[in-house]
């Protein structure tokens, strides 16, 4: 079924329908255009959101970037940013493949529709013009017939009139004959015009207009097919990015699973472990006999020699005894002495590694310059050897400067290591030693007052005494008293360590050791040597593998 056969008389209906189809195409193009604007705005807002929550500092300068929680959050931000990129890709595909192409196609369809209807209107105008000519010839034929009949009646009346002259009768007969002839010619012309119009009308309704209607039908069907393909592009643009979006979502899922609370706790320890020894117990000072008073070693007062007591970083100031007190503003120093011992050691190690890398880079550059100079000397046409002298001199100066800096940082690091080891040894010797019972006090004249004070303290401050008398590292004594436990892993000594403090053990560089106890946050790990003997060594001196 086609329009030319079934809708031959529905010219206005076809005109309205084809116009509605083009309007629908334009509306869909406008819809997709607004959809792309929504996608672009969505992607822009997502990118702005990601930029807002990205850290301001570089990752290497941001200690929070070491936590798995922060790393997962940054990964989620990156995945959201990639997701925004996919939304931009959807908007771009819709804009190019739908908006631009369909808009161009709509203009082509409008031009084609206009051409077809102009052709139909011209055919209709030609048919209307033929009909007007037919009407004119018909009216002329009718008029000439009336004139001929009137002339014949006049001639017959004069012929019967006895008073009329012969000349008048002849004249009337000639006039009647002339009018009859004119009527006959008008009749022939009208018949010819009628035949021509009928032929044109048949051609118009059976050939010309059906062809135009069929062209319009083909145009409308092509438009509908193209519009359907445009509908499909809307989903196709989404399906193209589905795999990437799925990867983004999978990346977010992986980031969520990567959060490791235990590891973050360990990272916090590594970042902020001070290395200070815990404050020693405050011992009783007997003021009952002030003349014989002898300051105790652990007293917070000033010794008799007038110099301030310096028993280690943990007791250098009162602020170290109260960890929640307000910190004073520190002055940053080159050797990082403003930091706690453990943090100072780590920063110095980092600086030393950086200087060693720079030194190796300068050494490699010096070797390269020397080789290039040798090539220039052997092959002068490749370059002037003297042109390399300034670079070689600058490299040598940099090497000397870096060597001095390496020596300086090595000295500072050795001093920091000694501080950490002394704090560790002091802490181990103090906390592994069982507390002295009150009965062990020397039986002097102050024992009664000491006992009385001690009794009062036990009655009024029993919880605090329990906290002071209980050793912190009670598990150390138990570990050494029990039978040797089985190792929980193994480790390799990265550096040589001389265990001179109580509770530590010596090890040689590259020595294989059994791991007996992991680092509990104080920077020390308990190991066992193959030759026998257990003790603590610095965790940073080991490469540890857990079973």
């Amino acid at each position: 079924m086609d329009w030319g056969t079934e809708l031959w008389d529905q010219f206005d209906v076809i005109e309205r329908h084809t116009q509605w189809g083009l309007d629908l195409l334009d509306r869909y193009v406008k819809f997709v255009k607004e959809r792309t604007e929504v996608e672009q705005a969505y992607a822009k807002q997502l990118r702005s959101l990601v930029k807002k929550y990205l850290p301001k500092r570089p990752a290497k300068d941001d200690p929070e970037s070491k936590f798995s929680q922060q790393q997962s959050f940054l990964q989620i931000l990156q995945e959201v940013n990639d997701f925004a990129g996919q939304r931009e890709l959807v908007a771009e595909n819709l804009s190019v493949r739908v908006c631009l192409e369909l808009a161009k196609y709509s203009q082509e369809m409008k031009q084609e529709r206009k051409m077809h209807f102009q052709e139909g209107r011209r055919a209709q105008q030609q048919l209307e013009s033929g009909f007007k000519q037919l009407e004119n010839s018909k009216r002329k034929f009718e008029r000439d017939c009336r004139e001929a009949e009137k002339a014949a009646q006049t001639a017959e009346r004069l012929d019967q009139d006895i008073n009329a002259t012969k000349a008048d009768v002849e004249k009337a007969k000639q006039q009647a004959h002339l009018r009859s002839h004119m009527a006959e010619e008008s009749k022939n012309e009208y018949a010819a015009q009628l035949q021509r119009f009928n032929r044109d009308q048949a051609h118009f309704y059976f050939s010309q207009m059906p062809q135009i209607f069929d062209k319009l039908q083909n145009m409308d069907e092509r438009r509908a097919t193209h519009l359907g393909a445009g509908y499909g592009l809307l989903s196709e643009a989404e399906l193209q990015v589905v795999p990437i979006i799925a990867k983004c979502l999978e990346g977010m899922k992986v980031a969520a699973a990567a959060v490791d609370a235990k590891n973050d706790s360990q990272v916090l320890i590594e970042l902020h472990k001070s290395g200070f020894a815990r404050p020693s117990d405050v011992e009783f000072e007997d003021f009952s006999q002030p003349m014989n008073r002898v300051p105790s070693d652990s007293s917070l007062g000033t010794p008799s020699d007038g110099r301030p007591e310096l028993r280690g970083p943990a007791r250098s100031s009162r602020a170290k005894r109260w960890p929640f007190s307000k910190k004073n503003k520190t002055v940053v120093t080159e050797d990082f002495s403003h930091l706690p011992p453990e943090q100072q050691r780590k920063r110095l190690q980092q600086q030393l590694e950086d200087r060693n890398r720079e030194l190796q880079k300068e050494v490699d550059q010096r070797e390269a310059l020397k080789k290039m100079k040798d090539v220039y000397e052997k092959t002068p046409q490749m370059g002037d050897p003297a042109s390399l002298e300034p670079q070689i001199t600058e490299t040598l100066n940099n090497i000397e400067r870096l060597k001095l800096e390496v020596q300086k940082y090595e000295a500072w690091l050795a001093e920091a290591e000694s501080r950490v080891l002394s704090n560790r040894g002091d802490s181990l010797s103090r906390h592994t030693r069982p507390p002295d019972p009150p009965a062990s006090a020397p039986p002097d004249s102050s024992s009664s007052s000491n006992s009385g004070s001690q009794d009062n303290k036990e009655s009024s401050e029993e919880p605090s005494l329990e906290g002071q008398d209980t050793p912190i590292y009670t598990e150390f004594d138990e570990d050494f008293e029990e039978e040797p436990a089985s190792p929980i892993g193994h480790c390799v000594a990265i550096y040589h360590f001389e265990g001179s403090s109580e509770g530590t053990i010596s090890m040689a560089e590259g020595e294989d050791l059994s791991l007996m106890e992991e680092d509990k946050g104080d920077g020390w790990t308990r190991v066992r040597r193959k030759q026998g003997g257990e003790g603590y060594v610095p965790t940073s001196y080991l490469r540890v593998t857990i079973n």
Side-chain angles (χ1 to χ4, degrees):
M1 299 177 67
D2 51 48
W3 291 0
T5 303
E6 306 297 334
L7 301 177
W8 64 270
D9 58 343
Q10 301 296 326
F11 183 86
D12 294 338
V13 172
I14 293 177
E15 184 179 20
R16 286 195 304 270
H17 176 76
T18 53
Q19 183 61 45
W20 169 83
L22 293 176
D23 291 342
L24 178 61
L25 181 61
D26 291 339
R27 278 192 299 162
Y28 180 66
V29 171
K30 186 177 180 181
F31 162 76
V32 175
K33 184 178 180 181
E34 293 183 4
R35 166 72 188 281
T36 58
E37 293 174 354
V38 170
E39 292 288 353
Q40 290 171 349
Y42 179 42
K44 183 178 180 181
Q45 291 178 356
L46 285 179
R47 290 194 183 276
S48 299
L49 183 65
V50 169
K51 184 178 179 181
K52 177 181 177 182
Y53 283 94
L54 281 174
K56 307 301 180 185
R57 294 182 294 177
K60 62 179 182 179
D61 299 333
D62 188 5
E64 296 177 353
S65 63
K66 299 181 183 297
F67 294 99
S68 63
Q69 307 164 54
Q70 178 72 358
Q71 294 170 1
S72 295
F73 181 58
L74 293 179
Q75 185 178 351
I76 288 176
L77 291 178
Q78 183 61 43
E79 297 296 346
V80 172
N81 194 61
D82 294 343
F83 178 81
Q86 297 306 307
R87 303 321 307 173
E88 290 175 342
L89 182 60
V90 169
E92 182 180 358
N93 289 338
L94 291 178
S95 177
V96 174
R97 300 185 60 188
V98 178
C99 294
L100 293 180
E101 292 185 6
L102 285 185
K104 181 180 178 181
Y105 185 75
S106 176
Q107 294 299 323
E108 294 175 356
M109 290 292 101
K110 289 178 181 178
Q111 292 296 328
E112 183 178 352
R113 176 180 177 274
K114 181 179 179 181
M115 180 185 67
H116 292 325
F117 278 106
Q118 285 178 348
E119 183 181 356
R121 287 190 176 92
R122 282 196 300 269
Q124 186 173 357
Q125 289 174 358
Q126 291 175 0
L127 184 63
E128 290 176 354
S129 176
F131 184 74
K132 288 180 181 179
Q133 292 177 4
L134 176 63
E135 290 292 323
N136 291 335
S137 63
K138 178 181 176 181
R139 284 194 296 270
K140 182 181 179 183
F141 172 57
E142 182 181 4
R143 185 174 60 254
D144 288 346
C145 286
R146 284 197 303 269
E147 293 292 335
E149 184 179 359
K150 185 178 178 181
Q153 291 177 356
T154 301
E156 184 179 358
R157 188 178 63 253
L158 289 175
D159 187 38
Q160 294 178 359
D161 188 1
I162 58 175
N163 296 322
T165 62
K166 187 177 180 179
D168 291 336
V169 173
E170 288 296 328
K171 183 178 180 180
K173 287 182 178 180
Q174 290 178 0
Q175 186 68 25
H177 183 268
L178 178 62
R179 291 293 181 183
S180 176
H181 180 70
M182 290 177 61
E184 189 66 25
E185 289 182 352
S186 297
K187 178 181 179 182
N188 294 334
E189 181 180 358
Y190 169 63
Q193 191 68 34
L194 179 62
Q195 185 179 6
R196 188 183 307 115
F197 174 77
N198 288 333
R199 184 179 66 250
D200 292 344
Q201 180 176 254
H203 176 70
F204 177 80
Y205 284 112
F206 289 95
S207 178
Q208 194 170 17
M209 288 308 297
Q211 290 179 1
I212 294 175
F213 285 172
D214 289 343
K215 291 178 182 179
L216 288 172
Q217 180 182 0
N218 179 264
M219 180 205 74
D220 191 71
E221 290 175 353
R222 283 187 286 112
R223 176 202 58 77
T225 302
H226 214 77
L227 181 59
Y231 291 162
L233 290 175
L234 195 65
S235 60
E236 185 178 342
E238 291 284 349
L239 291 174
Q240 286 180 350
V241 300
V242 164
I244 306 300
I245 291 179
K247 290 183 179 179
C248 293
L249 298 177
E250 184 64 26
M252 295 181 190
K253 185 177 179 181
V254 171
V259 175
D260 189 343
K262 293 292 184 182
N263 181 70
D264 286 355
S265 298
Q266 188 65 29
V267 169
L268 183 66
I269 292 172
E270 293 298 327
L271 286 175
H272 301 287
K273 180 172 57 178
S274 67
F276 286 134
R278 292 179 177 83
S280 61
D281 296 340
V282 179
E283 297 183 3
F284 178 77
E285 299 183 36
D286 190 0
F287 290 92
S288 61
Q289 294 183 5
M291 298 302 293
N292 298 328
R293 176 181 174 233
V294 179
S296 62
D297 291 340
S298 62
S299 173
L300 292 177
T302 303
S304 58
D305 58 1
R307 292 180 291 110
E309 181 184 18
L310 296 175
R311 288 181 55 84
R315 295 181 295 277
S316 61
S317 66
R318 185 172 180 175
K320 297 299 185 292
R321 182 174 293 276
W322 313 118
F324 301 106
S325 61
K326 186 177 180 181
K327 302 296 188 297
N328 296 325
K329 187 176 181 180
T330 58
V331 179
V332 179
T333 57
E334 187 180 3
D335 62 350
F336 304 107
S337 58
H338 62 285
L339 297 175
E342 185 66 25
Q343 299 302 317
Q344 180 190 16
R345 180 182 63 81
K346 290 183 179 180
R347 293 295 295 274
L348 288 173
Q349 279 184 343
Q350 180 181 357
Q351 292 294 326
L352 184 59
E353 292 173 359
D354 293 342
R355 296 301 186 279
N356 283 327
R357 281 195 295 269
E358 293 178 11
L359 179 59
Q360 186 60 42
K361 183 179 178 181
E362 294 293 337
V363 170
D364 294 341
Q365 185 175 358
R366 180 190 63 183
E367 297 299 327
L369 289 173
K370 285 183 178 181
K371 292 180 180 179
M372 189 179 297
K373 183 179 178 181
D374 294 340
V375 172
Y376 285 178
E377 289 174 350
K378 294 178 181 179
T379 313
Q381 61 268 22
M382 294 187 66
D384 185 10
S387 63
L388 300 176
E389 289 297 333
Q391 299 182 37
I392 295 176
T393 304
E394 182 182 359
T395 303
L396 292 175
N397 293 336
N398 290 338
I399 290 175
E400 292 300 324
R401 175 180 57 81
L402 290 172
K403 284 182 177 179
L404 292 176
E405 291 185 4
V406 167
Q407 294 175 2
K408 179 175 62 176
Y409 279 106
E410 285 178 346
W412 286 341
L413 180 60
E415 182 181 352
E417 292 285 2
S418 63
R419 287 180 61 193
V420 173
L421 296 179
S422 63
N423 289 337
R424 176 60 181 173
D426 180 65
S427 177
L428 288 173
S429 62
R430 176 158 32 86
H431 290 296
T432 56
R433 174 180 55 85
D436 296 332
S440 64
D444 56 7
S445 59
S446 62
S447 61
S448 61
S449 60
N450 191 358
S451 300
S453 301
Q454 192 72 17
D455 293 340
N456 293 334
K457 290 176 114 181
E458 288 178 356
S459 61
S460 60
E461 300 181 6
E462 182 176 356
S464 63
L465 283 176
E466 289 179 359
Q468 292 178 359
D469 293 342
T470 303
I472 297 179
Y473 293 102
T474 56
E475 66 271 18
F476 295 165
D477 293 333
E478 296 173 0
D479 290 338
F480 288 121
E481 289 172 2
E482 294 176 357
E483 295 182 359
S486 58
I488 62 173
H490 69 277
C491 49
V492 179
I494 304 175
Y495 308 105
H496 172 75
F497 173 68
E498 190 68 34
S500 57
S501 302
E502 182 179 355
T504 62
I505 189 172
S506 301
M507 63 180 180
E509 181 179 353
E511 181 179 356
D512 290 330
L513 304 165
S514 297
L515 178 64
M516 306 305 298
E517 182 180 306
E518 292 185 78
D519 184 359
K520 294 190 175 181
D522 54 4
W524 293 86
T525 300
R526 185 156 64 92
V527 299
R528 177 190 297 168
R529 302 184 66 180
K530 292 184 177 179
Q531 297 85 350
E534 291 186 14
Y536 287 89
V537 294
T539 305
S540 58
Y541 280 43
L542 300 174
R543 184 168 62 250
V544 178
T545 303
I546 305 296
N547 289 339

